[in-house]
Amino acid sequence: MSRIAARLLTLWAGLAYGLLFAPIVVIVLFSFNLPSGRFNLIWQGFTLENWLHPFRDRALTDAFLTSLSLALAASLIATVLGGLMAIGLSRSQGRAHGAIELLLVLPLTSPEIVLAASLLNLFVQINLPRGFGTLVLAHSLFCLSFAALTMKARLGGVDWSLEAAAQDLGATPLRTFGQITLPLLAPGLLAAFLLSFSLSLDDYIISAFTAGQVIVFPLYIAGAFQREISPQIHVMATMVLLVSIGLLGLGLGSKDGE
Amino acid sequence: MIAGFERPSQGTIRLEGVDVTATPPHRRNVNTVFQHYALFPHLSVWDNVAFGPRSRRLAEPEVRRQVGEILERVRLSELAARRPGQLSGGQQQRAALARALVNQPAALLLDEPLSALDPGLRSTLQEELKRIQRECGISFLIVTHDQEEALALSDRLAVMNAGRIEQIGPPRQVYDAPSSSFVARFIGRANLLAGGDGRSQLLLRPEQLRLQADPLPSDPAEQAVRARVTAVTFQGPSLLVELDAADGSPLVVRLNRWDAMASVRSGESLWVVWQTAAAHRLTV
């Protein structure tokens, strides 16, 4: 390739990445803005005020905390159940194998709106009042598929003869599970948990259908465009971004260490 | 089945006179060195070896003493803090051995312990294995597909065929006086000739045969057949000569590299000679 072509390619790649990350940069930038009205959309001046009082917006903070506890509950349930499913699937060669895997993939491939509408339909039919409980149920459900499939992929590389070795060395089944099986599964469980957590945290469609009167973070932000966009929204979004980058860095770092 | 992971469909397994057929693996006084070692990747060598004693709830000072001692014996003391992934194949093998031996089992099972190693290392570790066995005084039960390894390592050798023991005895006896043609062919190379009475075969090992160009001199202690060379394989210290006897049966002769006949070529017709007394008679 000629030098000019190489430069053009670099420029093109730069543009693509720029476009991809520009909105995120704007979010971070506007967390330092000093807005004049109720809408933090036009740059006025630099301030640290928003970062000093990140929880000033009461309703926003409530929505954020609700989302965090929802994500925690749903990903715990999904990780435990999904992990058990994956272990069961990887160790047995039953005839139901294919059917179960199909059922696992189905929620991922079908449009989210279908799942959301049918869940709402179901909750109404069985007369289950919508609220935090139905949110946890719905989120656990769609996270379960991701968690189980993530675990299943990780289990491919697990050497089950290590369990036999532990038993051979006199470990009871309980000790074998605690000392050997669980540490072997830990990376997969962590991956499944983090994936479930982030999926639950930013889910809008399913939450909108199953939340009832409860307001979670994405619902609040969507609603904010009609009332008020406080700079605290940008602060919290930046916090979430920082946590994500931190976790990513941690993951890459531990991979380098091996 | 000996380790307890499989149940026999019939019969009993006795360990030091006690029936352990229904005893689960973690309560059997037997330990195993697995084919690919199955060392715990998330634990150090030290913690791998300490796993057994800790499972038996020994006091920590006692665990330290036993683990230190066995690591000394397999010469891994310096590498105790390493993870299994940071060890060479031979070191992993020794770590697996230490992890099993530290429990002082009534018997140690080794499932093809050297098959994962390259050939050069294998012979060194064969010696190492024998030394450790002598020092510990624990019975080693070794499963292998490598006949030479079986002959080199064992005090007693059992040849199994389709789940049944064909013969059991000292390695020299199994090699020199096999009880069946299966054993004769399985351990080493074998020439099986018709015994003359229709009911027996004569076994001659390739190194018991020699080649000569002239017909047999009148030595009554020797016998000979005429055969044509079909292939010559150079194997370093020796040559392997394959021939077809006059009656069509294949023969194989091992010659010393400096044998007078070492320059033999494929297609030549020669005499294959042996001491009549050297042949082992197998009843069919």
Side-chain angles (χ1 to χ4, degrees):
Chain A
M1 212 193 313
S2 76
R3 193 179 282 184
I4 298 169
R7 288 228 176 117
L8 277 175
L9 187 65
T10 311
L11 190 72
W12 182 249
L15 267 173
Y17 272 104
L19 223 60
L20 208 59
F21 286 104
I24 296 176
V25 174
V26 168
I27 295 274
V28 176
L29 216 61
F30 271 71
S31 72
F32 296 104
N33 191 19
L34 182 73
S36 56
R38 292 196 301 152
F39 290 90
N40 180 25
L41 292 173
I42 300 157
W43 184 257
Q44 305 282 343
F46 180 85
T47 178
L48 286 174
E49 188 65 14
N50 309 322
W51 279 91
L52 291 173
H53 306 282
F55 305 118
R56 181 185 279 161
D57 188 340
R58 215 35 248 167
L60 171 68
T61 308
D62 283 346
F64 191 61
L65 289 178
T66 307
S67 262
L68 284 183
S69 35
L70 169 63
L72 192 67
S75 23
L76 276 178
I77 294 172
T79 305
V80 171
L81 292 181
L84 290 174
M85 281 184 85
I87 293 172
L89 279 174
S90 74
R91 288 200 198 179
S92 72
Q93 263 103 41
R95 212 175 305 163
H97 223 123
I100 292 173
E101 270 183 42
L102 185 70
L103 286 175
L104 270 180
V105 178
L106 214 55
L108 309 185
T109 51
S110 62
E112 222 178 322
I113 189 80
V114 175
L115 187 62
S118 57
L119 275 172
L120 177 62
N121 198 354
L122 173 74
F123 292 147
V124 171
Q125 292 279 333
I126 63 172
N127 204 11
L128 194 66
R130 268 74 66 207
F132 192 73
T134 49
L135 272 175
V136 171
L137 278 177
H139 280 224
S140 309
L141 181 71
F142 76 80
C143 288
L144 178 66
S145 293
F146 286 98
L149 290 175
T150 308
M151 273 300 283
K152 212 174 136 280
R154 295 289 299 214
L155 286 181
V158 168
D159 180 4
W160 295 116
S161 72
L162 295 176
E163 286 192 329
Q167 286 178 42
D168 184 79
L169 292 166
T172 58
L174 196 68
R175 181 170 149 84
T176 302
F177 183 79
Q179 301 279 312
I180 304 303
T181 315
L182 211 55
L184 281 175
L185 300 184
L189 287 172
L190 189 69
F193 178 84
L194 290 177
L195 183 65
S196 301
F197 195 89
S198 71
L199 284 171
S200 166
L201 197 66
D202 76 351
D203 174 77
Y204 179 79
I205 300 175
I206 290 174
S207 299
F209 276 73
T210 56
Q213 298 302 310
V214 177
I215 294 174
V216 292
F217 191 54
L219 293 180
Y220 181 89
I221 294 177
F225 281 90
Q226 282 130 47
R227 295 188 310 272
E228 176 191 15
I229 300 177
S230 65
Q232 272 73 22
I233 290 179
H234 295 84
V235 172
M236 277 182 196
T238 307
M239 284 184 189
V240 173
L241 182 70
L242 285 177
V243 170
S244 305
I245 292 173
L247 284 175
L248 200 66
L250 224 64
L252 289 177
S254 75
K255 209 167 273 178
D256 286 347
E258 269 172 24
Chain B
M1 279 193 260
I2 298 172
F5 295 109
E6 308 261 352
R7 283 282 184 85
S9 46
Q10 55 178 342
T12 54
I13 296 170
R14 266 190 289 275
L15 185 64
E16 298 185 311
V18 182
D19 182 352
V20 294
T21 315
T23 310
H26 65 274
R27 291 207 210 100
R28 277 194 202 194
N29 192 16
V30 173
N31 288 112
T32 310
V33 174
F34 291 83
Q35 188 170 6
H36 299 286
Y37 314 138
L39 292 166
F40 307 130
H42 59 295
L43 300 178
S44 67
V45 170
W46 178 279
D47 287 330
N48 261 281
V49 178
F51 192 88
R54 284 177 183 153
S55 291
R56 285 181 284 123
R57 298 171 186 282
L58 292 188
E60 198 57 26
E62 180 62 14
V63 172
R64 267 200 295 280
R65 193 186 64 74
Q66 290 190 1
V67 173
E69 204 170 278
I70 199 78
L71 283 179
E72 194 76 38
R73 179 159 290 165
V74 299
R75 297 172 184 152
L76 278 180
S77 303
E78 268 98 87
L79 305 175
R82 292 218 192 156
R83 296 278 174 94
Q86 299 166 310
L87 300 181
S88 72
Q91 290 163 345
Q92 286 184 18
Q93 205 261 344
R94 270 145 55 203
L97 201 59
R99 187 179 68 172
L101 283 174
V102 73
N103 305 294
Q104 292 163 320
L108 182 72
L109 308 180
L110 298 101
D111 183 8
E112 307 215 19
L114 304 173
S115 67
L117 303 169
D118 56 79
L121 204 55
R122 223 177 276 183
S123 60
T124 329
L125 277 158
Q126 277 184 9
E127 286 311 307
E128 190 80 359
L129 215 55
K130 281 170 111 167
R131 174 185 69 81
I132 293 167
Q133 195 276 329
R134 273 195 304 273
E135 285 177 17
C136 296
I138 291 170
S139 299
F140 282 19
L141 184 61
I142 302 176
V143 177
T144 178
H145 281 99
D146 182 335
Q147 294 91 335
E148 277 180 38
E149 190 175 296
L151 291 170
L153 280 175
S154 62
D155 298 317
R156 280 219 302 167
L157 179 62
V159 179
M160 295 193 71
N161 180 21
R164 294 177 45 147
I165 293 180
E166 289 263 342
Q167 185 175 5
I168 186 163
R172 273 167 207 261
Q173 187 193 328
V174 173
Y175 185 77
D176 289 337
S179 62
S180 66
S181 59
F182 174 82
V183 176
R185 284 205 196 89
F186 190 73
I187 299 284
R189 301 284 300 253
N191 294 297
L192 293 168
L193 297 120
D197 56 5
R199 282 178 297 115
S200 65
Q201 285 180 311
L202 292 178
L203 166 69
L204 286 155
R205 295 297 184 185
E207 65 275 15
Q208 292 173 315
L209 302 178
R210 64 170 210 276
L211 298 177
Q212 61 185 49
D214 306 318
L216 192 62
S218 54
D219 184 346
E222 290 189 331
Q223 272 180 281
V225 291
R226 190 152 177 83
R228 208 167 60 84
V229 178
T230 56
V232 180
T233 314
F234 176 64
Q235 296 188 324
S238 63
L239 286 167
L240 212 59
V241 184
E242 287 169 71
L243 309 100
D244 274 340
D247 65 355
S249 56
L251 291 170
V252 54
V253 179
R254 187 180 295 283
L255 295 181
N256 185 301
R257 183 146 187 208
W258 307 113
D259 192 282
M261 300 299 291
S263 59
V264 69
R265 292 281 169 81
S266 189
E268 287 179 54
S269 273
L270 295 160
W271 289 88
V272 178
V273 187
W274 66 91
Q275 298 273 319
T276 311
H280 171 69
R281 191 171 285 271
L282 286 163
T283 41
V284 182

